[in-house]
Amino acid sequence: MRNIRTGEEKFNIIIESLNSNETIAEICREHGIPVSMFYKWKEQFLEGGRKGLEGKDPDKSLMKENESLKAIIGEMTIANEILKKII
């Protein structure tokens, strides 16, 4: 039994379950994974889809926050250099 799967492999197994007449137990047996693991992957798959449909992109909000923090650091660096010259 091979426990480590790539995201692509997990995706393909979930899609197979949606397009197949086989039971989940049969699909899991064919791929050598526990049924509980399949349902964990499926839950993650559905949650990702839900977030995608809501239009939330966590990467964009993190990038925006990152840019804001970089700007603050830049301002603090300039202020620090000015203070060093004064003292």
Side-chain angles (χ1 to χ4, degrees), residues 5-67:
R5 302 289 178 145
T6 66
E8 183 74 19
E9 289 172 320
K10 293 174 187 179
F11 176 83
N12 289 334
I13 292 170
I14 298 299
I15 295 300
E16 178 183 342
S17 75
L18 298 173
N19 294 327
S20 175
N21 291 327
E22 292 181 289
T23 66
I24 300 303
E26 290 170 330
I27 291 171
C28 290
R29 197 170 24 257
E30 287 173 14
H31 293 281
I33 59 170
V35 173
S36 60
M37 184 177 290
F38 169 85
Y39 282 111
K40 180 180 176 186
W41 293 349
K42 185 175 180 182
E43 184 178 323
Q44 292 170 339
F45 175 83
L46 294 174
E47 183 61 28
R50 184 177 302 114
K51 286 180 182 176
L53 292 173
E54 291 173 355
K56 295 180 182 175
D57 187 350
D59 288 341
K60 283 185 182 178
S61 64
L62 290 176
M63 288 173 58
K64 185 176 180 180
E65 181 181 3
N66 190 24
E67 291 301 316

Short mmCIF file of all heavy atoms in Angstrom, two decimals, residues 5-67:
data_model
loop_
_atom_site.label_atom_id
_atom_site.label_comp_id
_atom_site.label_asym_id
_atom_site.label_seq_id
_atom_site.Cartn_x
_atom_site.Cartn_y
_atom_site.Cartn_z
N ARG A 5 0.54 10.41 -1.64
CA ARG A 5 -0.04 10.70 -2.96
C ARG A 5 0.16 12.17 -3.27
O ARG A 5 0.11 13.02 -2.39
CB ARG A 5 -1.55 10.41 -2.97
CG ARG A 5 -1.94 8.99 -2.62
CD ARG A 5 -1.57 8.04 -3.72
NE ARG A 5 -1.93 6.68 -3.33
CZ ARG A 5 -2.35 5.77 -4.17
NH1 ARG A 5 -2.45 6.05 -5.44
NH2 ARG A 5 -2.64 4.57 -3.74
N THR A 6 0.35 12.46 -4.53
CA THR A 6 0.43 13.86 -4.94
C THR A 6 -0.98 14.45 -4.98
O THR A 6 -1.98 13.72 -4.99
CB THR A 6 1.06 13.98 -6.34
OG1 THR A 6 0.17 13.37 -7.30
CG2 THR A 6 2.42 13.33 -6.41
N GLY A 7 -1.03 15.76 -5.03
CA GLY A 7 -2.33 16.42 -5.15
C GLY A 7 -3.06 15.99 -6.41
O GLY A 7 -4.27 15.81 -6.41
N GLU A 8 -2.30 15.80 -7.49
CA GLU A 8 -2.89 15.36 -8.76
C GLU A 8 -3.50 13.97 -8.62
O GLU A 8 -4.60 13.71 -9.14
CB GLU A 8 -1.81 15.37 -9.85
CG GLU A 8 -2.32 15.01 -11.22
CD GLU A 8 -3.14 16.12 -11.86
OE1 GLU A 8 -3.05 17.27 -11.45
OE2 GLU A 8 -3.91 15.80 -12.79
N GLU A 9 -2.81 13.07 -7.93
CA GLU A 9 -3.33 11.71 -7.74
C GLU A 9 -4.61 11.74 -6.89
O GLU A 9 -5.59 11.06 -7.22
CB GLU A 9 -2.28 10.83 -7.06
CG GLU A 9 -1.10 10.48 -7.96
CD GLU A 9 0.01 9.78 -7.23
OE1 GLU A 9 0.33 10.14 -6.07
OE2 GLU A 9 0.58 8.85 -7.83
N LYS A 10 -4.60 12.54 -5.84
CA LYS A 10 -5.79 12.65 -4.99
C LYS A 10 -6.96 13.19 -5.80
O LYS A 10 -8.08 12.68 -5.72
CB LYS A 10 -5.50 13.58 -3.80
CG LYS A 10 -4.49 13.02 -2.83
CD LYS A 10 -4.17 14.07 -1.77
CE LYS A 10 -3.05 13.65 -0.87
NZ LYS A 10 -2.72 14.67 0.14
N PHE A 11 -6.69 14.22 -6.57
CA PHE A 11 -7.71 14.83 -7.43
C PHE A 11 -8.30 13.79 -8.38
O PHE A 11 -9.52 13.67 -8.51
CB PHE A 11 -7.09 15.99 -8.21
CG PHE A 11 -8.02 16.62 -9.20
CD1 PHE A 11 -8.93 17.58 -8.81
CD2 PHE A 11 -7.97 16.27 -10.54
CE1 PHE A 11 -9.79 18.16 -9.72
CE2 PHE A 11 -8.82 16.84 -11.47
CZ PHE A 11 -9.74 17.80 -11.05
N ASN A 12 -7.43 13.02 -9.03
CA ASN A 12 -7.89 12.02 -9.99
C ASN A 12 -8.73 10.94 -9.33
O ASN A 12 -9.71 10.45 -9.91
CB ASN A 12 -6.71 11.41 -10.74
CG ASN A 12 -6.09 12.39 -11.71
OD1 ASN A 12 -6.74 13.30 -12.21
ND2 ASN A 12 -4.81 12.22 -11.99
N ILE A 13 -8.38 10.54 -8.10
CA ILE A 13 -9.16 9.52 -7.39
C ILE A 13 -10.53 10.07 -7.04
O ILE A 13 -11.55 9.37 -7.20
CB ILE A 13 -8.39 9.03 -6.14
CG1 ILE A 13 -7.15 8.24 -6.57
CG2 ILE A 13 -9.29 8.17 -5.25
CD1 ILE A 13 -6.18 7.90 -5.45
N ILE A 14 -10.59 11.32 -6.59
CA ILE A 14 -11.89 11.93 -6.27
C ILE A 14 -12.75 12.03 -7.53
O ILE A 14 -13.94 11.68 -7.53
CB ILE A 14 -11.70 13.33 -5.63
CG1 ILE A 14 -10.94 13.25 -4.32
CG2 ILE A 14 -13.05 14.02 -5.44
CD1 ILE A 14 -11.58 12.42 -3.24
N ILE A 15 -12.17 12.50 -8.62
CA ILE A 15 -12.91 12.61 -9.89
C ILE A 15 -13.37 11.23 -10.35
O ILE A 15 -14.51 11.08 -10.83
CB ILE A 15 -12.06 13.31 -10.97
CG1 ILE A 15 -11.78 14.76 -10.56
CG2 ILE A 15 -12.71 13.24 -12.34
CD1 ILE A 15 -13.02 15.62 -10.37
N GLU A 16 -12.52 10.24 -10.21
CA GLU A 16 -12.90 8.87 -10.58
C GLU A 16 -14.14 8.44 -9.81
O GLU A 16 -15.06 7.84 -10.36
CB GLU A 16 -11.75 7.90 -10.30
CG GLU A 16 -12.07 6.46 -10.62
CD GLU A 16 -10.93 5.51 -10.27
OE1 GLU A 16 -9.78 5.96 -10.10
OE2 GLU A 16 -11.20 4.30 -10.15
N SER A 17 -14.19 8.78 -8.51
CA SER A 17 -15.34 8.39 -7.69
C SER A 17 -16.62 9.07 -8.17
O SER A 17 -17.70 8.50 -8.06
CB SER A 17 -15.09 8.71 -6.22
OG SER A 17 -15.20 10.10 -5.97
N LEU A 18 -16.49 10.28 -8.70
CA LEU A 18 -17.66 11.00 -9.17
C LEU A 18 -18.15 10.49 -10.52
O LEU A 18 -19.34 10.60 -10.83
CB LEU A 18 -17.34 12.50 -9.29
CG LEU A 18 -16.96 13.21 -7.97
CD1 LEU A 18 -16.49 14.63 -8.26
CD2 LEU A 18 -18.13 13.20 -7.00
N ASN A 19 -17.24 9.94 -11.32
CA ASN A 19 -17.58 9.49 -12.67
C ASN A 19 -17.77 7.98 -12.79
O ASN A 19 -18.02 7.50 -13.89
CB ASN A 19 -16.48 9.92 -13.65
CG ASN A 19 -16.41 11.42 -13.79
OD1 ASN A 19 -17.41 12.11 -13.72
ND2 ASN A 19 -15.22 11.94 -13.98
N SER A 20 -17.66 7.26 -11.69
CA SER A 20 -17.68 5.81 -11.75
C SER A 20 -18.95 5.24 -11.11
O SER A 20 -19.55 5.85 -10.22
CB SER A 20 -16.45 5.27 -11.00
OG SER A 20 -16.50 3.86 -10.94
N ASN A 21 -19.30 4.03 -11.55
CA ASN A 21 -20.41 3.30 -10.93
C ASN A 21 -19.91 2.42 -9.78
O ASN A 21 -20.70 1.78 -9.12
CB ASN A 21 -21.15 2.45 -11.96
CG ASN A 21 -21.90 3.31 -12.96
OD1 ASN A 21 -22.39 4.38 -12.62
ND2 ASN A 21 -21.99 2.85 -14.19
N GLU A 22 -18.58 2.40 -9.60
CA GLU A 22 -18.01 1.61 -8.52
C GLU A 22 -18.30 2.27 -7.17
O GLU A 22 -18.46 3.49 -7.09
CB GLU A 22 -16.49 1.49 -8.68
CG GLU A 22 -16.04 0.69 -9.88
CD GLU A 22 -14.53 0.61 -9.94
OE1 GLU A 22 -13.92 1.64 -10.25
OE2 GLU A 22 -14.00 -0.47 -9.69
N THR A 23 -18.31 1.45 -6.13
CA THR A 23 -18.50 2.00 -4.79
C THR A 23 -17.19 2.65 -4.34
O THR A 23 -16.12 2.37 -4.89
CB THR A 23 -18.89 0.91 -3.79
OG1 THR A 23 -17.78 0.00 -3.64
CG2 THR A 23 -20.13 0.16 -4.22
N ILE A 24 -17.30 3.48 -3.33
CA ILE A 24 -16.11 4.11 -2.76
C ILE A 24 -15.16 3.04 -2.24
O ILE A 24 -13.94 3.14 -2.44
CB ILE A 24 -16.50 5.09 -1.63
CG1 ILE A 24 -17.42 6.20 -2.15
CG2 ILE A 24 -15.26 5.67 -0.96
CD1 ILE A 24 -16.88 7.02 -3.29
N ALA A 25 -15.69 2.03 -1.61
CA ALA A 25 -14.85 0.94 -1.08
C ALA A 25 -14.07 0.26 -2.21
O ALA A 25 -12.88 -0.05 -2.04
CB ALA A 25 -15.71 -0.07 -0.35
N GLU A 26 -14.70 0.05 -3.35
CA GLU A 26 -14.00 -0.58 -4.48
C GLU A 26 -12.88 0.32 -5.02
O GLU A 26 -11.78 -0.14 -5.29
CB GLU A 26 -15.00 -0.89 -5.61
CG GLU A 26 -15.96 -2.00 -5.27
CD GLU A 26 -17.09 -2.15 -6.29
OE1 GLU A 26 -17.48 -1.13 -6.92
OE2 GLU A 26 -17.57 -3.28 -6.45
N ILE A 27 -13.17 1.60 -5.14
CA ILE A 27 -12.17 2.54 -5.64
C ILE A 27 -10.99 2.61 -4.67
O ILE A 27 -9.83 2.59 -5.09
CB ILE A 27 -12.80 3.93 -5.87
CG1 ILE A 27 -13.77 3.86 -7.06
CG2 ILE A 27 -11.72 5.00 -6.11
CD1 ILE A 27 -14.62 5.09 -7.25
N CYS A 28 -11.30 2.67 -3.39
CA CYS A 28 -10.23 2.73 -2.38
C CYS A 28 -9.39 1.46 -2.41
O CYS A 28 -8.15 1.52 -2.29
CB CYS A 28 -10.83 2.94 -0.99
SG CYS A 28 -11.53 4.60 -0.79
N ARG A 29 -10.02 0.34 -2.57
CA ARG A 29 -9.30 -0.94 -2.64
C ARG A 29 -8.38 -0.96 -3.86
O ARG A 29 -7.22 -1.36 -3.77
CB ARG A 29 -10.29 -2.10 -2.67
CG ARG A 29 -9.71 -3.43 -2.34
CD ARG A 29 -10.74 -4.55 -2.13
NE ARG A 29 -12.05 -4.38 -2.76
CZ ARG A 29 -13.17 -4.02 -2.10
NH1 ARG A 29 -13.14 -3.77 -0.81
NH2 ARG A 29 -14.32 -3.90 -2.75
N GLU A 30 -8.87 -0.49 -4.99
CA GLU A 30 -8.06 -0.46 -6.22
C GLU A 30 -6.82 0.42 -6.06
O GLU A 30 -5.77 0.12 -6.61
CB GLU A 30 -8.90 0.09 -7.39
CG GLU A 30 -9.94 -0.86 -7.90
CD GLU A 30 -10.84 -0.21 -8.95
OE1 GLU A 30 -10.49 0.89 -9.45
OE2 GLU A 30 -11.90 -0.79 -9.24
N HIS A 31 -6.96 1.50 -5.32
CA HIS A 31 -5.86 2.46 -5.16
C HIS A 31 -5.07 2.22 -3.87
O HIS A 31 -4.09 2.93 -3.61
CB HIS A 31 -6.39 3.89 -5.21
CG HIS A 31 -6.92 4.27 -6.55
ND1 HIS A 31 -6.11 4.62 -7.60
CD2 HIS A 31 -8.20 4.32 -7.02
CE1 HIS A 31 -6.85 4.88 -8.67
NE2 HIS A 31 -8.13 4.72 -8.33
N GLY A 32 -5.51 1.27 -3.07
CA GLY A 32 -4.79 0.93 -1.85
C GLY A 32 -4.82 2.02 -0.79
O GLY A 32 -3.82 2.26 -0.12
N ILE A 33 -5.97 2.66 -0.66
CA ILE A 33 -6.10 3.70 0.36
C ILE A 33 -7.28 3.36 1.28
O ILE A 33 -8.26 2.76 0.86
CB ILE A 33 -6.32 5.09 -0.26
CG1 ILE A 33 -7.59 5.12 -1.12
CG2 ILE A 33 -5.10 5.55 -1.04
CD1 ILE A 33 -8.00 6.50 -1.57
N PRO A 34 -7.19 3.76 2.54
CA PRO A 34 -8.32 3.56 3.46
C PRO A 34 -9.50 4.45 3.06
O PRO A 34 -9.31 5.57 2.56
CB PRO A 34 -7.77 4.00 4.81
CG PRO A 34 -6.29 4.11 4.65
CD PRO A 34 -6.02 4.32 3.20
N VAL A 35 -10.69 3.98 3.30
CA VAL A 35 -11.90 4.74 2.98
C VAL A 35 -11.90 6.07 3.73
O VAL A 35 -12.29 7.11 3.19
CB VAL A 35 -13.17 3.91 3.28
CG1 VAL A 35 -14.42 4.74 3.12
CG2 VAL A 35 -13.22 2.69 2.38
N SER A 36 -11.44 6.04 4.98
CA SER A 36 -11.41 7.28 5.78
C SER A 36 -10.52 8.33 5.13
O SER A 36 -10.84 9.53 5.17
CB SER A 36 -10.95 6.99 7.20
OG SER A 36 -9.65 6.44 7.20
N MET A 37 -9.41 7.91 4.54
CA MET A 37 -8.52 8.85 3.87
C MET A 37 -9.21 9.44 2.64
O MET A 37 -9.11 10.64 2.38
CB MET A 37 -7.22 8.16 3.45
CG MET A 37 -6.20 9.09 2.83
SD MET A 37 -4.64 8.29 2.43
CE MET A 37 -4.01 7.99 4.07
N PHE A 38 -9.92 8.60 1.90
CA PHE A 38 -10.66 9.08 0.73
C PHE A 38 -11.62 10.20 1.13
O PHE A 38 -11.68 11.25 0.50
CB PHE A 38 -11.43 7.94 0.06
CG PHE A 38 -12.40 8.43 -0.97
CD1 PHE A 38 -11.98 8.68 -2.26
CD2 PHE A 38 -13.73 8.69 -0.64
CE1 PHE A 38 -12.86 9.17 -3.21
CE2 PHE A 38 -14.62 9.17 -1.57
CZ PHE A 38 -14.19 9.42 -2.86
N TYR A 39 -12.38 9.97 2.21
CA TYR A 39 -13.36 10.96 2.62
C TYR A 39 -12.70 12.24 3.13
O TYR A 39 -13.24 13.34 2.95
CB TYR A 39 -14.33 10.38 3.65
CG TYR A 39 -15.38 9.52 2.99
CD1 TYR A 39 -15.40 8.15 3.17
CD2 TYR A 39 -16.33 10.08 2.15
CE1 TYR A 39 -16.34 7.35 2.54
CE2 TYR A 39 -17.29 9.30 1.51
CZ TYR A 39 -17.29 7.94 1.72
OH TYR A 39 -18.23 7.17 1.08
N LYS A 40 -11.51 12.13 3.71
CA LYS A 40 -10.76 13.32 4.11
C LYS A 40 -10.37 14.12 2.88
O LYS A 40 -10.54 15.34 2.83
CB LYS A 40 -9.52 12.92 4.90
CG LYS A 40 -8.69 14.08 5.37
CD LYS A 40 -7.47 13.62 6.14
CE LYS A 40 -6.60 14.81 6.50
NZ LYS A 40 -5.36 14.42 7.13
N TRP A 41 -9.86 13.43 1.86
CA TRP A 41 -9.49 14.10 0.60
C TRP A 41 -10.70 14.74 -0.04
O TRP A 41 -10.63 15.86 -0.54
CB TRP A 41 -8.87 13.11 -0.38
CG TRP A 41 -7.55 12.54 0.02
CD1 TRP A 41 -6.73 12.94 1.03
CD2 TRP A 41 -6.90 11.43 -0.61
NE1 TRP A 41 -5.62 12.16 1.07
CE2 TRP A 41 -5.68 11.22 0.08
CE3 TRP A 41 -7.23 10.60 -1.67
CZ2 TRP A 41 -4.81 10.21 -0.28
CZ3 TRP A 41 -6.35 9.60 -2.02
CH2 TRP A 41 -5.14 9.41 -1.33
N LYS A 42 -11.82 14.02 -0.04
CA LYS A 42 -13.04 14.53 -0.67
C LYS A 42 -13.52 15.79 0.05
O LYS A 42 -13.93 16.76 -0.61
CB LYS A 42 -14.14 13.47 -0.67
CG LYS A 42 -15.37 13.91 -1.43
CD LYS A 42 -16.40 12.80 -1.52
CE LYS A 42 -17.63 13.27 -2.27
NZ LYS A 42 -18.66 12.22 -2.33
N GLU A 43 -13.42 15.80 1.37
CA GLU A 43 -13.82 16.98 2.14
C GLU A 43 -12.92 18.17 1.78
O GLU A 43 -13.42 19.28 1.58
CB GLU A 43 -13.71 16.68 3.63
CG GLU A 43 -14.17 17.80 4.53
CD GLU A 43 -14.07 17.40 5.99
OE1 GLU A 43 -14.33 16.24 6.34
OE2 GLU A 43 -13.72 18.30 6.78
N GLN A 44 -11.62 17.93 1.67
CA GLN A 44 -10.69 18.99 1.28
C GLN A 44 -11.00 19.49 -0.14
O GLN A 44 -10.96 20.69 -0.41
CB GLN A 44 -9.25 18.49 1.35
CG GLN A 44 -8.78 18.21 2.76
CD GLN A 44 -7.45 17.47 2.80
OE1 GLN A 44 -7.04 16.83 1.84
NE2 GLN A 44 -6.75 17.56 3.93
N PHE A 45 -11.30 18.57 -1.02
CA PHE A 45 -11.64 18.88 -2.41
C PHE A 45 -12.87 19.78 -2.46
O PHE A 45 -12.88 20.81 -3.15
CB PHE A 45 -11.89 17.56 -3.15
CG PHE A 45 -12.38 17.71 -4.56
CD1 PHE A 45 -11.48 17.92 -5.60
CD2 PHE A 45 -13.73 17.61 -4.85
CE1 PHE A 45 -11.93 18.03 -6.91
CE2 PHE A 45 -14.18 17.73 -6.15
CZ PHE A 45 -13.28 17.93 -7.19
N LEU A 46 -13.90 19.41 -1.73
CA LEU A 46 -15.14 20.17 -1.73
C LEU A 46 -14.95 21.54 -1.10
O LEU A 46 -15.51 22.53 -1.56
CB LEU A 46 -16.26 19.39 -1.03
CG LEU A 46 -16.69 18.11 -1.74
CD1 LEU A 46 -17.69 17.34 -0.88
CD2 LEU A 46 -17.29 18.42 -3.10
N GLU A 47 -14.17 21.61 -0.03
CA GLU A 47 -13.91 22.89 0.63
C GLU A 47 -13.16 23.83 -0.32
O GLU A 47 -13.48 25.02 -0.40
CB GLU A 47 -13.11 22.69 1.91
CG GLU A 47 -12.86 23.97 2.68
CD GLU A 47 -14.11 24.67 3.15
OE1 GLU A 47 -15.15 24.01 3.38
OE2 GLU A 47 -14.06 25.91 3.27
N GLY A 48 -12.20 23.30 -1.05
CA GLY A 48 -11.48 24.11 -2.03
C GLY A 48 -12.40 24.63 -3.12
O GLY A 48 -12.31 25.78 -3.53
N GLY A 49 -13.31 23.78 -3.56
CA GLY A 49 -14.28 24.19 -4.57
C GLY A 49 -15.22 25.25 -4.05
O GLY A 49 -15.54 26.22 -4.75
N ARG A 50 -15.65 25.10 -2.81
CA ARG A 50 -16.54 26.07 -2.18
C ARG A 50 -15.86 27.44 -2.11
O ARG A 50 -16.44 28.46 -2.47
CB ARG A 50 -16.94 25.61 -0.78
CG ARG A 50 -17.94 26.51 -0.09
CD ARG A 50 -18.37 25.99 1.29
NE ARG A 50 -18.95 24.67 1.18
CZ ARG A 50 -18.41 23.56 1.69
NH1 ARG A 50 -17.27 23.61 2.35
NH2 ARG A 50 -18.99 22.39 1.56
N LYS A 51 -14.60 27.45 -1.67
CA LYS A 51 -13.87 28.71 -1.58
C LYS A 51 -13.68 29.33 -2.96
O LYS A 51 -13.77 30.54 -3.10
CB LYS A 51 -12.51 28.48 -0.92
CG LYS A 51 -12.62 28.24 0.57
CD LYS A 51 -11.26 28.01 1.20
CE LYS A 51 -11.41 27.72 2.67
NZ LYS A 51 -10.12 27.40 3.30
N GLY A 52 -13.45 28.49 -3.95
CA GLY A 52 -13.30 28.99 -5.31
C GLY A 52 -14.57 29.65 -5.82
O GLY A 52 -14.52 30.68 -6.48
N LEU A 53 -15.71 29.06 -5.49
CA LEU A 53 -16.99 29.61 -5.94
C LEU A 53 -17.35 30.89 -5.19
O LEU A 53 -18.08 31.73 -5.72
CB LEU A 53 -18.10 28.57 -5.78
CG LEU A 53 -17.99 27.37 -6.71
CD1 LEU A 53 -19.04 26.33 -6.34
CD2 LEU A 53 -18.15 27.80 -8.16
N GLU A 54 -16.85 31.04 -3.98
CA GLU A 54 -17.11 32.25 -3.22
C GLU A 54 -16.25 33.40 -3.71
O GLU A 54 -16.46 34.54 -3.33
CB GLU A 54 -16.82 32.01 -1.73
CG GLU A 54 -17.83 31.07 -1.08
CD GLU A 54 -17.45 30.69 0.34
OE1 GLU A 54 -16.35 31.08 0.81
OE2 GLU A 54 -18.24 30.01 0.99
N GLY A 55 -15.29 33.09 -4.56
CA GLY A 55 -14.43 34.12 -5.12
C GLY A 55 -13.33 34.55 -4.18
O GLY A 55 -12.69 35.57 -4.39
N LYS A 56 -13.12 33.80 -3.12
CA LYS A 56 -12.06 34.14 -2.18
C LYS A 56 -10.77 33.51 -2.66
O LYS A 56 -10.70 32.32 -2.91
CB LYS A 56 -12.39 33.63 -0.78
CG LYS A 56 -13.59 34.29 -0.16
CD LYS A 56 -13.86 33.73 1.21
CE LYS A 56 -15.11 34.36 1.80
NZ LYS A 56 -15.46 33.75 3.08
N ASP A 57 -9.77 34.33 -2.77
CA ASP A 57 -8.45 33.84 -3.17
C ASP A 57 -7.49 34.17 -2.04
O ASP A 57 -7.05 35.31 -1.92
CB ASP A 57 -8.01 34.50 -4.48
CG ASP A 57 -6.73 33.90 -5.01
OD1 ASP A 57 -6.09 33.11 -4.30
OD2 ASP A 57 -6.37 34.23 -6.15
N PRO A 58 -7.17 33.18 -1.20
CA PRO A 58 -6.30 33.46 -0.06
C PRO A 58 -4.93 33.98 -0.48
O PRO A 58 -4.33 34.77 0.22
CB PRO A 58 -6.18 32.12 0.66
CG PRO A 58 -6.62 31.09 -0.30
CD PRO A 58 -7.53 31.78 -1.28
N ASP A 59 -4.44 33.58 -1.64
CA ASP A 59 -3.14 34.04 -2.10
C ASP A 59 -3.16 35.55 -2.35
O ASP A 59 -2.20 36.24 -2.04
CB ASP A 59 -2.72 33.30 -3.37
CG ASP A 59 -2.33 31.86 -3.09
OD1 ASP A 59 -2.04 31.53 -1.93
OD2 ASP A 59 -2.32 31.07 -4.05
N LYS A 60 -4.25 36.06 -2.90
CA LYS A 60 -4.32 37.49 -3.19
C LYS A 60 -4.33 38.30 -1.91
O LYS A 60 -3.66 39.33 -1.81
CB LYS A 60 -5.57 37.81 -4.02
CG LYS A 60 -5.45 37.44 -5.47
CD LYS A 60 -6.65 37.88 -6.26
CE LYS A 60 -6.52 37.44 -7.71
NZ LYS A 60 -7.69 37.82 -8.49
N SER A 61 -5.09 37.85 -0.90
CA SER A 61 -5.14 38.61 0.35
C SER A 61 -3.79 38.54 1.06
O SER A 61 -3.35 39.54 1.65
CB SER A 61 -6.26 38.11 1.26
OG SER A 61 -6.01 36.77 1.66
N LEU A 62 -3.11 37.41 0.98
CA LEU A 62 -1.78 37.31 1.59
C LEU A 62 -0.78 38.18 0.86
O LEU A 62 0.08 38.80 1.49
CB LEU A 62 -1.32 35.85 1.60
CG LEU A 62 -2.05 34.91 2.56
CD1 LEU A 62 -1.56 33.48 2.39
CD2 LEU A 62 -1.88 35.37 4.00
N MET A 63 -0.87 38.23 -0.46
CA MET A 63 0.04 39.08 -1.24
C MET A 63 -0.18 40.55 -0.90
O MET A 63 0.77 41.32 -0.77
CB MET A 63 -0.13 38.82 -2.73
CG MET A 63 0.42 37.47 -3.18
SD MET A 63 0.06 37.03 -4.88
CE MET A 63 0.78 38.39 -5.77
N LYS A 64 -1.44 40.94 -0.75
CA LYS A 64 -1.76 42.32 -0.41
C LYS A 64 -1.21 42.68 0.97
O LYS A 64 -0.61 43.74 1.15
CB LYS A 64 -3.28 42.53 -0.45
CG LYS A 64 -3.71 43.95 -0.23
CD LYS A 64 -5.20 44.10 -0.38
CE LYS A 64 -5.63 45.53 -0.16
NZ LYS A 64 -7.07 45.70 -0.30
N GLU A 65 -1.40 41.77 1.93
CA GLU A 65 -0.87 41.99 3.27
C GLU A 65 0.66 42.06 3.24
O GLU A 65 1.27 42.90 3.91
CB GLU A 65 -1.32 40.87 4.20
CG GLU A 65 -0.83 41.04 5.63
CD GLU A 65 -1.26 39.92 6.56
OE1 GLU A 65 -1.91 38.95 6.10
OE2 GLU A 65 -0.94 40.01 7.75
N ASN A 66 1.29 41.19 2.46
CA ASN A 66 2.74 41.17 2.34
C ASN A 66 3.26 42.50 1.79
O ASN A 66 4.24 43.06 2.30
CB ASN A 66 3.17 40.01 1.44
CG ASN A 66 4.65 39.77 1.44
OD1 ASN A 66 5.34 40.12 2.38
ND2 ASN A 66 5.15 39.16 0.39
N GLU A 67 2.61 43.02 0.76
CA GLU A 67 3.02 44.30 0.19
C GLU A 67 2.88 45.43 1.21
O GLU A 67 3.74 46.31 1.31
CB GLU A 67 2.22 44.62 -1.08
CG GLU A 67 2.54 43.71 -2.25
CD GLU A 67 4.02 43.78 -2.65
OE1 GLU A 67 4.57 44.89 -2.70
OE2 GLU A 67 4.59 42.71 -2.88
#
